[in-house]
Amino acid sequence: MLISEHECAAGTVEGFMPNVRDLEAYVARNVDIISPAEQAALRASRILVAGCGSVGGSLVESFARLGGTAAVLADPEVFDDTNLNRQACVLTDIGRPKAQVLAERALAINPYFQTRVLIEGLTVGNIESAFEGVTCVFDAVDAGASPWVKYRLHEIASQRRIPVISGFDFGGKATLYVFDYRRRRAKPFYGRASAQAHREGRLAECVKWLGYRHFPSDFLGIIRDRMLTGQPWPQVTYCVLAMGALATRCILDLEMRRQVRHVVAFDVHDSTRTLPARIAQWVNFPLQLGRAFVASRRPKVESAAHMEPKASTEEDNTRRLVEAMILAPSPHNCQPWVFEVSEPDKLHLRWDPGRGTPVVDPDANAIAYSLGCAVEAAAQVAVVSWTSSDSQDFHDPAHIAGTLRIHGMDPRNYARGRGLLEARVTHRGRLLHVPLSAGLVASCAELASQRGAHALLREVDSVRIKRLAEKDAKALFSRLDYVTELLEHMRLDASEVAERPTGFTLQTLGLSKWEAWALRMLRRSPGLLSISMSLGLPAFMTRNAIRQMTGHGNYLLVAAGQWSANGRVDAGRALMRVWLELTAHGLHAQPVDFPISTQEGRAEVAELFGLEVNARPIALLRVGMASDRLPPRAGRLPATVFISRAPETATCAPCSTVAESLVA
């Protein structure tokens, strides 16, 4: 949250609390079961829960406790006495809207949880807007009560390539039907139920996709009875709890781009019975017991965490802020930032030329964008104000881009902001084409405008973009100094990554081990590199760089409103903000700056996007939805590397103490 000095001083920041609880403490017991990447995916996700009764309401608490931070909750009903046996309510909730109660419960568990509540439920009028920013849908809409809304839910999800989980509890068996509309263009319900049947409310046809083989045998008699009598379907708490557990795990796997079975089920009743399938576990039991016995005989290792001195609030805030800021992108992942502590709540931002990229970025323009990205990253997790400096020369050893004042962490947005920062990655793989919503296009433009820049999200002629990229990429890869610098920023094995967690890795570049071996040989031998340059290496590297620029035409162009040092930093802030907005909508991006690396290319791209004459393109992003697993996030140096102490003439004793404690 970025505010002005005046707003903070006047105390007009609503919902602001002076301190933020330790984000990691909430999920500390998830460690080694839930990976950091999975935790980031949960924080960056936003689920739509359509129906907050037994089925839909089952997952909200579990999702909040696991570390999720955002949900749209829709249900038109209120709690009554019959809900107490299995739904997330207490006596005092009787008569209150289900969606509102669940929103309050999630916030009481997880103070970072953000909700949008639709107490009118999903309707034909609001269902489109309910999808904004949603990355996964849980469908608990009653097909008998609202068949057309249920169909529209799946229809919109299939159009926007958003996965849907439909839940049913069959007595003691929790059953989920997973419609992963991202992996293929499929009709609603995979074509197993028609729109006409839903319009006319023909229930038997609306639920044909359920099949029969998933019904448990001890529930068939109940089905027959209820079909005859019309009495309410029985539902029990342990089945609802199993539903929430399964759904939360399915959401996590879907957010991680993993494949999930179409039907995911757990029969609580059946799990207590003796089954032949349990034999494998019985055989393995003595072995696992022996290992546990051996481990129990080893001396316990006491954690030293409790012996560390407790950091002050200022130190904690500065550390959290820096940890967030270094998640910003930078040219070749060079991580050029330096944060000088001048006061306990004030940081000067500059860059270290030793971590720059002088060949690809001789004028330090990309460095300016990266500093702006770091400022915007801070604004995602804290209440800060930014003051630009008067210096215009980035190569001046005394240059400071500006000063960031920390007014405090932002408890309501910290977890989700941190999650989005951690989930944002450069995706160089295949991207699925996703129709762009008018809301997202307008949002990107508005967010960039607030930073004095331009952001144009368009579906454009990808062939033309690829032609420009191929031409300019080949020119750059034909330069020996450019290729040499690029190779120096490649980490081609695990030891290189451990030694210098900057630059590119094999996984982020999508290279094979054989290609890594060849590049390592070229880096070690300048003579061999020169020969390879004449034998076609530039053409190979060009093809590798632009090979995924086919099949779709969604691109985001970010342009600076003013071409000054401060204007370039502001453009970097806009770039970071709109990239995080794409991440919040479940989209992925890859910078493809070759087309705007020359004046001619910038002019053609500006004309293609209809950019204003006085604006200069600074970043071009290929945008879509990842078709496979996301690559691992690029490494980062320790946060302490980036923190320094301001010169003694401008530093007070408390500030020196803060800086020394953070760097120690």
Side-chain angles (χ1 to χ4, degrees):
M1 179 186 297
L2 195 66
I3 65 167
S4 67
E5 291 276 319
H6 172 74
E7 288 173 329
C8 183
T12 59
V13 184
E14 296 182 0
F16 169 71
M17 292 184 288
N19 299 315
V20 64
R21 290 180 179 270
D22 187 359
L23 173 62
E24 300 306 322
Y26 279 86
V27 295
R29 301 299 286 268
N30 291 352
V31 173
D32 292 333
I33 297 176
I34 306 299
S35 70
E38 291 173 329
Q39 203 68 67
L42 283 170
R43 290 171 181 159
S45 65
R46 184 190 300 274
I47 62 172
L48 168 59
V49 182
C52 297
S54 301
V55 176
S58 67
L59 74 95
V60 176
E61 179 173 338
S62 177
F63 180 70
R65 290 190 186 279
L66 197 64
T69 61
V72 180
L73 306 178
D75 196 303
E77 296 183 353
V78 298
F79 285 114
D80 62 38
D81 292 348
T82 66
N83 300 143
L84 289 168
N85 78 313
R86 81 277 182 197
Q87 296 190 21
C89 62
V90 296
L91 282 170
T92 54
D93 296 325
I94 302 303
R96 300 189 62 212
K98 293 183 177 181
Q100 184 64 45
V101 170
L102 282 177
E104 294 170 3
R105 184 173 181 83
L107 187 60
I109 294 168
N110 184 342
Y112 306 117
F113 207 89
Q114 301 176 359
T115 54
R116 179 185 173 195
V117 177
L118 303 176
I119 59 174
E120 72 274 22
L122 284 185
T123 66
V124 174
N126 69 14
I127 193 169
E128 289 271 358
S129 62
F131 270 82
E132 287 299 326
V134 166
T135 57
C136 190
V137 176
F138 190 85
D139 165 28
V141 177
D142 187 340
S146 305
W148 182 239
V149 169
K150 192 176 186 76
Y151 186 88
R152 285 287 292 147
L153 185 75
H154 283 256
E155 184 177 46
I156 296 171
S158 64
Q159 292 170 350
R160 301 191 184 187
R161 290 184 180 266
I162 297 174
V164 178
I165 304 169
S166 290
F168 285 84
D169 52 345
F170 302 133
K173 185 177 182 180
T175 308
L176 303 177
Y177 295 80
V178 181
F179 297 92
D180 194 349
Y181 294 121
R182 299 170 307 180
R183 298 193 171 275
R184 55 183 174 135
R185 285 198 176 278
K187 295 180 180 178
F189 305 105
Y190 289 170
R192 298 170 189 169
S194 69
Q196 191 63 26
H198 284 81
R199 285 196 187 95
E200 297 176 3
R202 301 195 299 268
L203 181 59
E205 294 183 45
C206 291
V207 296
K208 281 198 307 183
W209 50 272
L210 289 176
Y212 299 100
R213 61 191 180 91
H214 303 297
F215 294 155
S217 58
D218 60 359
F219 196 61
L220 293 176
I222 297 173
I223 293 176
R224 183 173 60 251
D225 177 77
R226 294 308 188 267
M227 293 292 287
L228 292 173
T229 64
Q231 294 183 17
W233 295 93
Q235 297 171 305
V236 292
T237 180
Y238 52 75
C239 186
V240 170
L241 292 174
M243 179 88 63
L246 291 177
T248 305
R249 181 64 204 190
C250 283
I251 289 171
L252 174 57
D253 284 337
L254 290 170
E255 294 293 349
M256 290 299 294
R257 316 298 300 177
R258 300 182 182 122
Q259 291 190 15
V260 179
R261 290 183 299 170
H262 175 51
V263 178
V264 180
F266 178 71
D267 193 329
V268 181
H269 296 169
D270 211 43
S271 67
T272 62
R273 300 176 185 134
T274 302
L275 296 174
R278 300 278 191 277
I279 294 176
Q281 295 295 325
W282 294 341
V283 171
N284 197 39
F285 178 76
L287 176 61
Q288 298 299 330
L289 182 62
R291 289 177 177 176
F293 178 77
V294 172
S296 68
R297 306 299 294 179
R298 295 173 181 169
K300 295 182 179 179
V301 179
E302 295 292 338
S303 173
H306 68 281
M307 298 184 290
E308 297 177 359
K310 182 173 177 59
S312 67
T313 300
E314 290 84 1
E315 293 169 3
D316 280 342
N317 287 348
T318 303
R319 174 181 54 79
R320 292 186 180 114
L321 199 70
V322 171
E323 288 173 349
M325 295 172 76
I326 63 177
L327 295 174
S330 57
H332 288 4
N333 189 30
C334 65
Q335 304 171 36
W337 318 284
V338 175
F339 309 115
E340 287 185 347
V341 180
S342 63
E343 294 179 15
D345 60 349
K346 185 184 292 186
L347 297 176
H348 295 318
L349 266 68
R350 60 180 180 84
W351 69 292
D352 181 358
R355 293 201 300 268
T357 51
V359 176
V360 69
D361 186 31
D363 298 322
N365 291 334
I367 296 295
Y369 313 149
S370 183
L371 290 174
C373 287
V375 172
E376 201 62 31
Q380 298 303 302
V381 298
V383 182
V384 299
S385 54
W386 168 253
T387 304
S388 299
S389 72
D390 296 328
S391 175
Q392 298 294 308
D393 184 5
F394 269 78
H395 292 285
D396 182 351
H399 171 78
I400 292 177
T403 301
L404 193 71
R405 181 175 288 278
I406 311 168
H407 302 294
M409 305 308 290
D410 185 4
R412 292 296 303 273
N413 296 302
Y414 176 69
R416 179 163 174 78
R418 181 65 180 263
L420 290 172
L421 289 169
E422 293 172 340
R424 182 208 62 81
V425 295
T426 295
H427 186 72
R428 294 182 173 84
R430 179 170 171 262
L431 293 175
L432 299 173
H433 176 70
V434 178
L436 300 174
S437 70
L440 177 59
V441 172
S443 177
C444 289
E446 174 60 23
L447 291 170
S449 176
Q450 294 172 5
R451 307 296 184 253
H454 307 270
L456 306 175
L457 183 58
R458 301 280 191 274
E459 182 173 353
V460 297
D461 184 357
S462 58
V463 175
R464 187 174 174 184
I465 293 288
K466 185 176 182 179
R467 176 178 56 78
L468 285 172
E470 184 176 15
K471 174 184 175 183
D472 294 331
K474 193 168 186 179
L476 286 172
F477 287 129
S478 297
R479 293 173 48 186
L480 181 61
D481 59 346
Y482 179 85
V483 175
T484 300
E485 183 179 80
L486 181 62
L487 290 174
E488 288 300 319
H489 282 83
M490 290 185 180
R491 309 292 172 250
L492 300 175
D493 58 32
S495 62
E496 291 183 2
V497 173
E499 182 181 356
R500 295 182 62 192
T502 60
F504 310 105
T505 64
L506 295 184
Q507 293 81 6
T508 57
L509 289 174
L511 297 176
S512 68
K513 292 183 178 180
W514 288 106
E515 290 170 325
W517 177 84
L519 292 173
R520 193 180 298 110
M521 295 296 295
L522 294 178
R523 189 172 59 188
R524 291 174 179 173
S525 173
L528 183 60
L529 176 60
S530 298
I531 295 173
S532 300
M533 293 289 288
S534 62
L535 294 179
L537 180 62
F540 167 78
M541 299 184 79
T542 298
R543 287 195 301 271
N544 185 69
I546 66 172
R547 69 181 186 276
Q548 298 294 350
M549 296 179 62
T550 58
H552 78 98
N554 286 347
Y555 285 85
L556 173 69
L557 179 67
V558 179
Q562 294 184 351
W563 195 245
S564 61
N566 294 338
R568 295 195 291 277
V569 172
D570 288 340
R573 288 168 54 194
L575 170 61
M576 188 66 175
R577 186 64 189 87
V578 296
W579 198 339
L580 292 175
E581 184 71 4
L582 296 175
T583 304
H585 281 72
L587 299 177
H588 307 93
Q590 176 197 2
V592 283
D593 293 335
F594 294 117
I596 56 173
S597 61
T598 64
Q599 180 62 36
E600 179 185 359
R602 287 191 292 271
E604 188 167 346
V605 169
E607 184 269 332
L608 181 62
F609 279 81
L611 184 65
E612 295 181 7
V613 176
N614 60 344
R616 172 166 169 158
I618 64 113
L620 182 64
L621 276 68
R622 185 172 65 100
V623 177
M625 184 177 289
S627 62
D628 49 16
R629 291 188 179 185
L630 296 175
R633 136 174 304 286
R636 290 295 187 272
L637 294 166
T640 53
V641 171
F642 305 95
I643 302 173
S644 69
R645 185 171 58 190
E648 293 294 337
T649 56
T651 307
C652 61
C655 317
S656 302
T657 302
V658 171
E660 289 169 353
S661 65
L662 289 168
V663 176

